């Protein structure tokens, strides 16, 4: 039953069907005693309390009293790597002892370590593990997630990761929608050591056509980083991907300032992600060309790196999205509460900006702002209802969940905190 009437909700939402940039990010609509009507999982009414609810024809309607609690759009986590094999707890302990992420990678650990485990894991085990992670994320209010391949780096395993996401997305009772991204250019696999140009050609000639034909990913992404893929290699891959119809994302300027943000603007990428070391020119280019700056503060925290310049990016007119970057290496966390805290405390976003970044701008970062990301007529009924009437509880609860109820496609899930 996906017909629902929610009454007595304190509704807080950004408004629009595209990313909000700069000053617009802090504008939220507030409805004190709001009513929402949902038909077949889609919002058909949002507004002040109605005396006569216009749902007489609607059969099987569930009535839900939000009791004055705050209702927001479901969170859209627009950058994750949640499908993988193995784990890297040992590497985390090395990092605590002072080793850097890149030095671990250079001595054969890092992404390539997860690649071995992902190649070895069977489909069903990978599906079950990914499904469990989605459950955990859903309890924190995530109703849509972007997920990347990139731990296969060969044809069979990249396809296995993407097929796992496809199957999870086809589940009828799913709590989280999935947008898939092909990240074959995540690292150079052992078989191509010293031959990264050849690996890029392999991705272009063999992988992109199969993934396109099987409709397994909407986006193509690349880890554009010193010692991984250069700006030239990233440009070559992404240009080829664009030609066959992929939308583009870039892991940009994470460890060093390489010009990834500028490349994203040049190619018309939907988003550039990480951006810890994005240059002033890169920030301006992203604002000018409407590239969404997707910031991942949990990763900067876990790697003890500086935070991306979120405040400056918004002041420069960028649209900023926030995401968790959940992955087995640099950041094993899907914590929305901590993401919000770090964004507000260290990147100096206002609470309102952080909400827009995790909802409408996250939706825009996966080309879905027409369907999700705000509480508006015509959009999917994906909501979070907090334990409080006050949305300022989101950063106030440090790393603790204040989501009491999740609504996914008009279905209600109570969360035990
Ligand atoms: O987004 N930076 C590259 N990729 C991931 C890390 C992947 C890993 O370490 O397994 C990231 O942080
Ligand atoms: Fe990432």
């Amino acid at each position: 039953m996906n017909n629902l009437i929610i009454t007595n909700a304190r509704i807080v939402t950004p408004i629009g069907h595209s990313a909000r940039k700069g000053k617009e990010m802090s504008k939220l609509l507030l409805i004190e005693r709001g009513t929402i009507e949902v038909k077949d999982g889609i919002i058909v009414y949002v507004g002040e309390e109605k005396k006569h609810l216009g749902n007489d024809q609607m059969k099987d309607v569930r009535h839900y009293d939000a009791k004055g609690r705050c209702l927001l759009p479901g969170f859209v986590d627009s950058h994750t790597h949640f499908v993988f094999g193995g784990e890297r707890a040992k590497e985390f302990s090395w990092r605590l002892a002072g080793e850097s992420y890149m030095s671990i990678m250079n001595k054969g650990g890092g992404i390539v370590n997860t690649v071995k485990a992902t190649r070895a894991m069977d489909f069903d085990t990978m599906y079950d593990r990914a499904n469990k992670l989605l459950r955990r994320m859903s309890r924190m209010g995530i109703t849509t997630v972007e997920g990347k391949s990139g731990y296969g780096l060969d044809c069979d395993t990249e396809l296995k990761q993407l097929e796992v996401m496809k199957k999870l997305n086809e589940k009828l009772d799913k709590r989280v929608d999935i947008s898939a991204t092909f990240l074959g250019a995540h690292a150079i696999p052992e078989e191509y050591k010293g031959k990264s140009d050849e690996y890029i050609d392999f991705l272009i000639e063999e992988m992109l056509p199969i993934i396109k034909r099987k409709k397994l990913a909407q986006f193509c992404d690349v880890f554009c980083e010193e010692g991984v893929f250069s700006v030239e290699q990233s440009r070559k891959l992404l240009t080829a991907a664009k030609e066959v119809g992929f939308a583009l994302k870039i892991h940009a300027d994470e460890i060093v300032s390489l010009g990834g943000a500028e490349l994203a603007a040049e190619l018309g990428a939907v988003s550039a992600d990480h951006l810890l070391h994005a240059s002033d020119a890169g920030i301006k280019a992203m604002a000018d060309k409407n590239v969404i700056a997707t910031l991942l503060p949990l990763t900067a925290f876990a790697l003890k790196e500086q935070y991306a310049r979120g405040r400056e990016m918004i002041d420069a007119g960028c649209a900023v999205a926030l995401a968790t970057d959940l992955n087995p290496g640099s950041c094993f966390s899907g914590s929305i509460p901590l993401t919000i805290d770090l964004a507000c405390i260290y990147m100096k976003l206002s609470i309102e900006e952080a909400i827009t970044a995790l909802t409408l701008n996250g939706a825009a970062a996966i080309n879905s702002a027409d369907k999700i990301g705000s509480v508006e007529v015509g959009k999917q009924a994906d909501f979070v209802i907090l334990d409080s009437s006050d949305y300022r509880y989101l950063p106030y609860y440090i790393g603790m969940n204040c989501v009491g109820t999740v609504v996914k496609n008009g279905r209600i899930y109570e969360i035990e905190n």
Side-chain angles (χ1 to χ4, degrees):
M1 177 174 84
N2 293 12
N3 299 335
L4 173 69
I5 296 175
I6 300 176
T7 50
N8 200 10
R10 191 158 186 267
I11 301 169
V12 174
T13 181
I15 293 293
H17 288 68
S18 59
R20 302 294 89 184
K21 297 175 69 178
K23 286 193 174 57
E24 291 174 4
M25 280 188 67
S26 55
K27 287 188 197 137
L28 300 179
L29 174 74
L30 174 71
I31 303 173
E32 281 296 345
R33 269 183 81 87
T35 292
I36 300 173
E37 291 178 23
V38 175
K39 191 168 188 301
D40 297 329
I42 302 292
I43 303 168
V44 293
Y45 174 83
V46 188
E48 301 291 343
E49 199 174 17
K50 271 183 165 181
K51 286 279 165 294
H52 301 288
L53 295 166
N55 260 299
D56 306 338
Q57 323 88 313
M58 247 161 62
K59 286 203 179 72
D60 302 326
V61 184
R62 177 162 179 188
H63 289 255
Y64 187 85
D65 181 355
K67 300 198 172 101
R69 291 183 296 149
C70 180
L71 181 148
L72 305 126
F75 298 130
V76 181
D77 188 352
S78 62
H79 181 138
T80 83
H81 311 244
F82 77 98
V83 180
F84 56 85
E87 44 81 25
R88 302 206 322 254
K90 201 198 281 172
E91 289 182 15
F92 191 80
S93 74
W94 293 343
R95 291 216 307 273
L96 293 179
E99 279 217 52
S100 76
Y101 178 76
M102 283 318 247
S103 74
I104 292 170
M105 184 159 174
N106 291 336
K107 68 177 198 199
I111 294 170
V112 171
N113 191 346
T114 300
V115 168
K116 286 194 195 105
T118 305
R119 288 180 179 179
M121 187 173 276
D122 65 80
F123 184 94
D124 291 342
T125 310
M126 197 177 290
Y127 176 93
D128 287 342
R129 282 180 33 141
N131 193 29
K132 283 207 181 88
L133 278 174
L134 287 182
R135 274 295 172 97
R136 292 178 84 141
M137 295 166 97
S138 132
R139 290 198 282 269
M140 286 180 280
I142 293 172
T143 48
T144 301
V145 83
E146 182 258 17
K148 301 175 196 293
S149 68
Y151 289 122
L153 313 184
D154 64 17
C155 197
D156 287 353
T157 319
E158 288 290 308
L159 291 179
K160 180 167 68 182
Q161 283 188 277
L162 294 169
E163 301 272 12
V164 163
M165 286 188 254
K166 181 165 185 243
K167 188 168 170 200
L168 285 166
N169 206 28
E170 284 168 354
K171 263 177 70 174
L172 287 178
D173 59 344
K174 64 182 164 177
R175 293 198 193 178
V176 182
D177 282 313
I178 300 164
S179 166
T181 294
F182 173 55
L183 179 58
H186 196 192
I188 298 142
E190 301 284 356
E191 312 84 88
Y192 282 87
K193 220 172 183 166
K195 298 186 289 188
S196 57
D197 282 332
E198 282 172 43
Y199 183 59
I200 290 286
D201 289 340
F202 158 74
L203 295 177
I204 293 174
E205 285 156 26
E206 301 196 25
M207 292 291 318
L208 287 178
I210 301 179
I211 290 162
K212 193 73 211 163
R213 194 174 66 244
K214 292 180 173 259
K215 297 198 178 80
L216 284 173
Q218 189 197 351
F219 284 89
C220 180
D221 194 346
V222 57
F223 189 13
C224 177
E225 189 61 57
E226 198 170 74
V228 192
F229 296 102
S230 67
V231 169
E232 291 70 32
Q233 290 172 324
S234 303
R235 181 185 286 112
K236 183 172 178 189
L237 172 67
L238 293 179
T239 304
K242 193 175 172 180
E243 268 165 23
V244 291
F246 286 91
L248 309 181
K249 290 183 173 289
I250 307 186
H251 279 68
D253 302 319
E254 178 182 357
I255 318 275
V256 297
S257 184
L258 210 64
E262 288 88 334
L263 181 66
E266 172 194 320
L267 298 176
V270 175
S271 72
D273 302 35
H274 285 286
L275 301 168
L276 274 50
H277 300 273
S279 69
D280 291 344
I283 292 173
K284 185 173 182 318
M286 286 191 296
D288 288 348
K289 298 286 182 190
N290 296 322
V291 177
I292 296 170
T294 299
L295 308 185
L296 313 164
L298 290 170
T299 311
F301 172 71
L303 294 178
K304 277 204 260 179
E305 293 284 341
Q306 66 183 64
Y307 291 89
R309 294 187 282 156
R311 176 76 269 137
E312 285 175 57
M313 290 177 190
I314 295 174
D315 291 343
C318 286
V320 164
L322 285 168
T324 65
D325 195 23
L326 176 90
N327 74 74
S330 62
C331 177
F332 203 141
S333 176
S335 175
I336 291 293
L338 197 54
T339 300
I340 295 174
D341 280 318
L342 298 175
C344 292
I345 297 170
Y346 291 110
M347 301 199 304
K348 301 189 173 64
L349 270 65
S350 68
I351 306 172
E352 294 78 10
E353 288 167 340
I355 289 171
T356 301
L358 265 172
T359 56
L360 187 57
N361 284 5
I366 53 166
N367 276 344
S368 301
D370 54 334
K371 293 196 286 293
I372 54 172
S374 62
V375 184
E376 289 180 85
V377 169
K379 290 208 183 182
Q380 214 164 279
D382 293 356
F383 315 127
V384 298
I385 307 177
L386 306 184
D387 280 333
S388 164
S389 61
D390 188 343
Y391 67 84
R392 291 173 300 187
Y393 269 60
L394 283 168
Y396 169 56
Y397 272 22
I398 305 289
M400 287 213 310
N401 198 15
C402 65
V403 172
T405 308
V406 173
V407 181
K408 177 66 198 165
N409 275 324
R411 286 187 304 271
I412 294 175
Y413 301 96
E414 299 296 352
I415 309 300
E416 266 186 42
N417 281 315

